Each structure stands twice: as C-alpha cells, then as structure tokens.
Amino acid sequence: MALPSINPTKTHSWEKLKEHFEGIKDVQMKNLFSEDKNRAHEFTIKWDDFYVDFSKNRITTETFKYLLELAEDVKLKDAIKSQFSGEIINKTEGRAVLHTALRAPKTAEFNVDGTNVIPEVYQVKEKIEGFTNEVVNGHRKGYTGKAFTDVVNIGIGGSDLGPAMVVDSLQYYKNHLTTHFVSNVDGDHVNEVIKKLNPETTLFVIVSKTFTTQETLSNANTLKTWFLKTASEDAIAKHFVAVSTNIKNVQEFGIDESNVFPMWDWVGGRFSLWSAVGLTISLAVGFKNFDNLLKGAHKMDEHFKNEDFDKNIPVVLALISVWYNNFFGAESEAIIPYSQYLNQFATYLQQGIMESNGKSVDRNGNPIDYQTGTIIWGEPGTNSQHAFFQLIHQGTKLIPADFIGFAKSLHGNQDHQDKLTSNFFAQTEALLNGKTKAEVIAKGTEEAIIPFKVFQGNKPTNTIYINKLSPESLGKLIAMYEHKIFVQGIIWNIFSYDQFGVELGKQLASKILQEFNSSANNEHDSSTHNLLNYYKKMS
Ligand code: F6P
C-alpha cells in the first residue's frame, strides 16, 4: 500500500482551521491562561521521564481538536502503519524506511521484501559490541603493538552529524578514547585534526553509506597517505575500518572485508546513527551506553506507534508546528536546549528536518502551493539569551521555540543548576506574558523610553523537560524529533526520505573542479566565470 496522497489544504479540518485562525490570531495567551486555570494541565503530556508542556502556545481546546482532525484527515494512522511494516514509503528512491528496526528488540519482526531484517541487525550489533570491547579494553592494538588512544570518524552529513552530536552530548559518559570528527573537504579541517594524532595509536572509522562521497573519500585518502608516511600497507587492516553499504568500493580503498560494518539501503543517512554509523558513539561511550541510546529510541517508537494522537508527543509537536508554519506564516523554529551538552543538537536537527521536509512537490509529483519545511536554528540557553533572544522577544518575526531541559545536573552542582533552570522557566514566562506599557510606566520609566521597554509577549514555546540527560533519554529525544519529521511530511503530502536537492550543486562542483585542473572551459554566467578566473589567478 502506498502512502495516501492527500492535499492537506483541501481537507475539511484545514477549512475549519483557516476559519478558526481568523478568530484566534490576535488572542493573547496570557488571557487564555487567566480564563482557564486548568490550561497547563490540559496541555501537558507526562510520559516516562518526559514532561512536555505545550500550553504556552497560541491554541485553544478548539484549535487542538481541529489539528487532531487534520491528523485523521491525512490518514496519519495508516501512514504510521505503512512505515513500521516496511512498505516502500520512500517511493522516489524505491526503499523502505526502517531506522526503527535498528533499535527494536531481538524478538521483533521487521520485514523488507518478505525477509525479517532483525537477525541481520543483531549480527551487526554483535560485531559493533565485540569490536568496541576490543578497542576500549586495549586488546586490539595498532601496528606497533600499542593500544588505541584516538578515534577519527571520517564522514559527512548523516555519517557525521549524528555521531558527532551524540558523542558530544554524552561526553559525561565517555571513556579514555579521544574522538575526532573530520567532515569538511576543506583541507584545513583534516590537517588541524592530523596535528593532534599519533599514527601508532589512532583508529580511523570511515563512514559513508554510498562510499562515493567526495568529501569523505578525499579526507580518507589524505589520512591514509599521512598514515602511510610512517606505517606500512599491512598496517591499514589494523587501523582502518569502514561503515558502508558499498563493500566493493570499501575493498578497493584497501580495507579488509572483515573490517567492514554493513548497513542497509532502508536506513536513510540522516536517520542512521542507530546503525553501525554509530560505531564511533559505541567506541566513545562503550557499547552498553550505545545500546541504551537505542533502547530509549525504541521506547519513543512504541509511544509514537501506539499512543492516541492527543497524548502522542511527536504528533502533538508536529501539529503545533504546522499550525504556526501554515496559518501564522512562521518561517523558522528555534531549538533552545538548557544544557551545554546539547550544543550541537540544533545543527544535527537541521539536516534531519530541512533535508527531509524541504520539498516543494507533492506525493503526486505536482508543485505545492502551501508552505512546507521549517527553518531550524538554535543554540543552548543561557548563551543564546545573550545573543539572539532580543529578536525573539522584541523583533517583528514570530519564532516558535522548543525549550529543552533536564531537571538534574550530571555533575550535581545545584547552585548552577538552579540558576540555569530559573533562566529556562523565566524565558518561557517572559515570552508568554511580555511587559505592558502600564507595567513599564509603573517602573517609573522616563516618558521617551517607554515604547522601547514594552514587550508584546504572546510568543509561543514548547517546554520539553526531562529528568536527566542519559543515553536512554537522549535516544528518546532524538527519536521524538524523527517522528515529528515523519508526521509533518505526511501532513504536507511530501516525500521526506529523498534528498535530490543536494545533487545539483555537487554535479556543478565536479565540472568546475575539472576546469581548475585542465583547459576545459564550460559555459558559465559572467559572475561564475569571473570568480573562476579570479581563483585561478589567486590560488
Ligand atoms: O547530503 C546528502 C547526503 O546524501 C546525506 O543524506 C548523507 O547523510 C550524506 O550525503 C553522506 O552520504 P554518505 O554516507 O553516502 O557518504
């Protein structure tokens, strides 16, 4: 069964939402709170160690009802079933979408073309576990007999962002291995990493689903050449491993088949950290913690698959986001974690959300005349309070924001934790209530300055509050956003799992590269032509 193809704007619920929007667009949230003492309770979902308060949004019970109807109208339930049952929902690439199988228990059954993939998934997991233990406990050694001290993850996009974000987020749980990430084809990136490495004690993990990606192969070759300055060809088998679906290309690179960790085409790059793409995560924090990350994600999968929509966290967050994107005309969403550990979280989500839902053709192949993918950005609070919060509070744009926080600090420094949390709660309260002219006057503000000190308020936020940052809770959080992406793709009637938009630039880059190194002269617009010549002169 193919995914349903329903234009959301032609549904009955969309019509109701449009009409309803006219009546609610200027309503002040603070009035909704004073009129209904039960509001926070009504719009909060408590699940496991998650407390998700979505009451500080410009919605009423009626809005919520119509949004839930929209989920029904676009046949979200059927779509969820199609995804979990391994149907070819990535139609434009002819693939199933089963990252959920990577974190399912051993007893589960996920069929692709009539074959249960779980035994294969567990074979690879066991390989990851065995390899991780050998490296971490020092039994696996480099070419001079020394244990490994450093791991270099070489990959880009989904083969970099997920592992890099998780390793950084879980640094509290890290072992003695030092991890490095090389992604950019900018040679200064790889050379800065090389400065920190000793070839005798460094393990290289080349991660590329296709093993054709220019950036990754260039960096891998540069590192191999550097390595071979001191080591012999035989040493490659000890120091280089690869994660890929393209075993042939991996072998051609010189990596032994026993050092290949397979993955499958039913795992999209930006949803792949749960596969062997997460090998560097497992090496950095140990297999047990990696497995707990997967267990957390699986719990969120079960919640998403089984929970009624009105209590289903990814569904509710997706619907609220559609409400702002398609009715209020909000262009972007901010992700503000009140945890320095989640420093890379927004960057990671940018690929997941924008590569998936940045589409303008519907599932029938027709151009779309409504808004799709939101622009994602953000930085940890409190740092961002001292950077871009001015614009969120007093600028002209509506920027819905997810505030993410943890009740417990990992190092147990209560004084800091109290200050961090007070800022978190204060910001969402300030965004909600603003500051009226009367309040500014009451402070005795000089007449001419009054307008500048007024805050309109009515700025929406979701509070995603979790007991503690752990591999398991991080797994749940990432999976929560993955499912939110899916729901929005279904509502917008687009294919979320291809990424043809990244191809055109790549193709032109390879043409231009040829021109740098030969007399080939392609036709360009005059701007590109001049830049090319300028570069040839200057470089
Ligand atoms: O940016 C496009 C993309 O295909 C991503 O989807 C993917 O994560 C990345 O390139 C890397 O691809 P690969 O793992 O095949 O090197």
Side-chain angles (χ1 to χ4, degrees):
M1 200 179 67
L3 284 179
S5 180
I6 296 162
N7 180 338
T9 66
K10 301 280 183 264
T11 59
H12 196 46
S13 48
W14 196 279
E15 274 309 308
K16 287 199 241 175
L17 281 164
K18 240 166 78 180
E19 203 181 303
H20 171 71
F21 172 74
E22 292 305 318
I24 197 183
K25 63 181 188 215
D26 298 320
V27 167
Q28 292 291 314
M29 282 190 278
K30 64 180 171 194
N31 295 339
L32 297 174
F33 271 98
S34 39
E35 283 157 19
D36 178 5
K37 296 293 167 219
N38 200 35
R39 181 176 170 85
H41 178 74
E42 188 190 350
F43 291 141
T44 294
I45 302 174
K46 288 186 196 153
W47 170 78
D48 238 31
D49 51 347
F50 275 47
Y51 182 105
V52 179
D53 178 349
F54 58 99
S55 63
K56 292 189 179 94
N57 278 297
R58 291 163 75 168
I59 59 169
T60 61
T61 312
E62 203 183 349
T63 327
F64 195 41
K65 180 171 159 270
Y66 297 151
L67 287 170
L68 291 167
E69 281 176 26
L70 175 64
E72 299 296 338
D73 284 352
V74 297
K75 303 208 183 310
L76 178 61
K77 272 199 186 105
D78 293 346
I80 295 173
K81 261 193 218 129
S82 298
Q83 186 195 27
F84 278 87
S85 59
E87 286 168 25
I88 310 292
I89 63 163
N90 176 3
K91 194 176 155 201
T92 44
E93 294 182 329
R95 294 172 185 168
V97 177
L98 278 184
H99 44 278
T100 48
L102 300 167
R103 51 224 194 189
K106 213 170 182 170
T107 48
E109 199 179 319
F110 280 80
N111 289 307
V112 175
D113 293 332
T115 307
N116 183 14
V117 296
I118 294 296
E120 258 186 280
V121 166
Y122 271 81
Q123 254 174 27
V124 178
K125 267 178 87 170
E126 277 154 28
K127 188 168 177 174
I128 296 172
E129 182 175 15
F131 184 79
T132 301
N133 291 342
E134 274 190 6
V135 174
V136 174
N137 63 26
H139 290 164
R140 189 178 164 117
K141 300 200 189 312
Y143 68 99
T144 56
K146 291 184 184 159
F148 290 106
T149 55
D150 291 68
V151 177
V152 183
N153 190 95
I154 310 153
I156 196 164
S159 299
D160 164 72
L161 290 164
M165 180 277 287
V166 173
V167 169
D168 195 42
S169 302
L170 296 181
Q171 58 187 271
Y172 179 79
Y173 300 89
K174 264 187 90 205
N175 54 34
H176 63 283
L177 294 170
T178 305
T179 40
H180 311 265
F181 289 85
V182 178
S183 53
N184 201 323
V185 77
D186 179 351
D188 290 340
H189 190 189
V190 65
N191 280 301
E192 285 301 328
V193 172
I194 284 175
K195 271 169 38 180
K196 300 174 198 149
L197 303 176
N198 172 0
E200 292 175 66
T201 56
T202 302
L203 178 72
F204 300 95
V205 182
I206 310 174
V207 189
S208 179
K209 185 176 162 185
T210 55
F211 223 80
T212 57
T213 305
Q214 182 201 50
E215 292 91 337
T216 302
L217 295 186
S218 303
N219 284 323
N221 277 312
T222 300
L223 285 163
K224 188 168 91 171
T225 307
W226 170 79
F227 177 73
L228 290 175
K229 277 190 196 157
T230 45
S232 68
E233 286 276 346
D234 302 344
I236 289 181
K238 288 190 159 61
H239 287 256
F240 283 78
V241 300
V243 180
S244 188
T245 55
N246 190 342
I247 312 294
K248 188 176 146 278
N249 281 24
V250 173
Q251 282 177 312
E252 274 168 24
F253 180 86
I255 292 179
D256 201 75
E257 205 180 342
S258 61
N259 285 335
V260 183
F261 292 78
M263 60 184 294
W264 307 273
D265 69 1
W266 40 264
V267 182
R270 52 193 174 276
F271 302 93
S272 64
L273 68 90
W274 323 98
S275 71
V277 168
L279 182 61
T280 302
I281 303 172
S282 179
L283 289 164
V285 297
F287 181 78
K288 183 103 193 65
N289 283 321
F290 178 61
D291 200 34
N292 284 339
L293 180 85
L294 270 54
K295 286 199 171 107
H298 174 68
K299 279 197 186 168
M300 182 55 81
D301 295 343
E302 290 294 298
H303 166 78
F304 174 59
K305 199 167 68 168
N306 301 321
E307 191 56 81
D308 289 342
F309 287 167
D310 63 336
K311 289 271 170 269
N312 191 316
I313 301 169
V315 173
V316 168
L317 294 181
L319 290 171
I320 291 172
S321 169
V322 168
W323 177 233
Y324 293 120
N325 187 55
N326 295 85
F327 295 88
F328 282 87
E331 295 260 312
S332 76
E333 276 173 25
I335 306 284
I336 317 289
Y338 274 71
S339 161
Q340 193 57 32
Y341 288 119
L342 295 197
N343 191 27
Q344 296 187 31
F345 197 59
T347 311
Y348 162 76
L349 285 181
Q350 281 175 333
Q351 188 201 16
I353 296 175
M354 292 159 77
E355 200 166 87
S356 299
N357 287 339
K359 310 286 166 65
S360 51
V361 171
D362 73 12
R363 287 201 287 271
N364 290 317
N366 297 322
I368 278 170
D369 62 358
Y370 48 88
Q371 289 293 315
T372 61
T374 41
I375 299 163
I376 296 297
W377 56 284
E379 286 286 327
T382 55
N383 298 20
S384 50
Q385 288 172 211
H386 297 272
F388 53 73
F389 265 49
Q390 164 66 37
L391 186 143
I392 302 184
H393 279 289
Q394 284 192 314
T396 52
K397 293 183 171 57
L398 177 69
I399 302 168
D402 284 355
F403 277 62
I404 304 166
F406 301 95
K408 292 188 180 64
S409 122
L410 293 184
H411 286 276
N413 32 12
Q414 201 55 41
D415 172 51
H416 281 266
Q417 185 67 4
D418 290 349
K419 288 172 183 157
L420 177 74
T421 310
S422 63
N423 273 283
F424 178 162
F425 296 166
Q427 286 297 331
T428 63
E429 193 175 32
L431 288 164
L432 160 71
N433 289 319
K435 196 171 187 184
T436 60
K437 190 173 172 190
E439 284 166 331
V440 178
I441 293 169
K443 289 265 177 218
T445 311
E446 190 191 326
E447 181 81 33
I449 304 299
I450 291 167
F452 303 100
K453 293 205 164 179
V454 170
F455 288 61
Q456 285 172 348
N458 220 20
K459 315 278 186 193
T461 58
N462 292 308
T463 294
I464 299 154
Y465 204 49
I466 304 164
N467 289 356
K468 187 180 143 182
L469 175 60
S470 65
E472 189 172 319
S473 64
L474 183 65
K476 290 176 199 166
L477 185 67
I478 301 169
M480 178 192 91
Y481 279 104
E482 287 181 344
H483 295 312
K484 178 183 170 192
I485 293 168
F486 172 80
V487 174
Q488 293 192 289
I490 294 302
I491 295 174
W492 289 324
N493 195 24
I494 54 178
F495 287 117
S496 300
Y497 297 101
D498 60 24
Q499 55 286 316
F500 298 115
V502 299
E503 292 306 319
L504 179 61
K506 276 195 214 169
Q507 287 153 13
L508 290 186
S510 86
K511 271 193 178 173
I512 291 178
L513 185 63
Q514 279 169 9
E515 287 176 65
F516 291 158
N517 301 322
S518 72
S519 56
N521 213 345
N522 294 312
E523 207 159 284
H524 298 285
D525 59 86
S526 59
S527 160
T528 311
H529 175 85
N530 289 351
L531 282 167
L532 244 140
N533 286 336
Y534 189 68
Y535 176 70
K536 280 186 181 171
K537 233 192 296 164
M538 300 300 286
S539 65

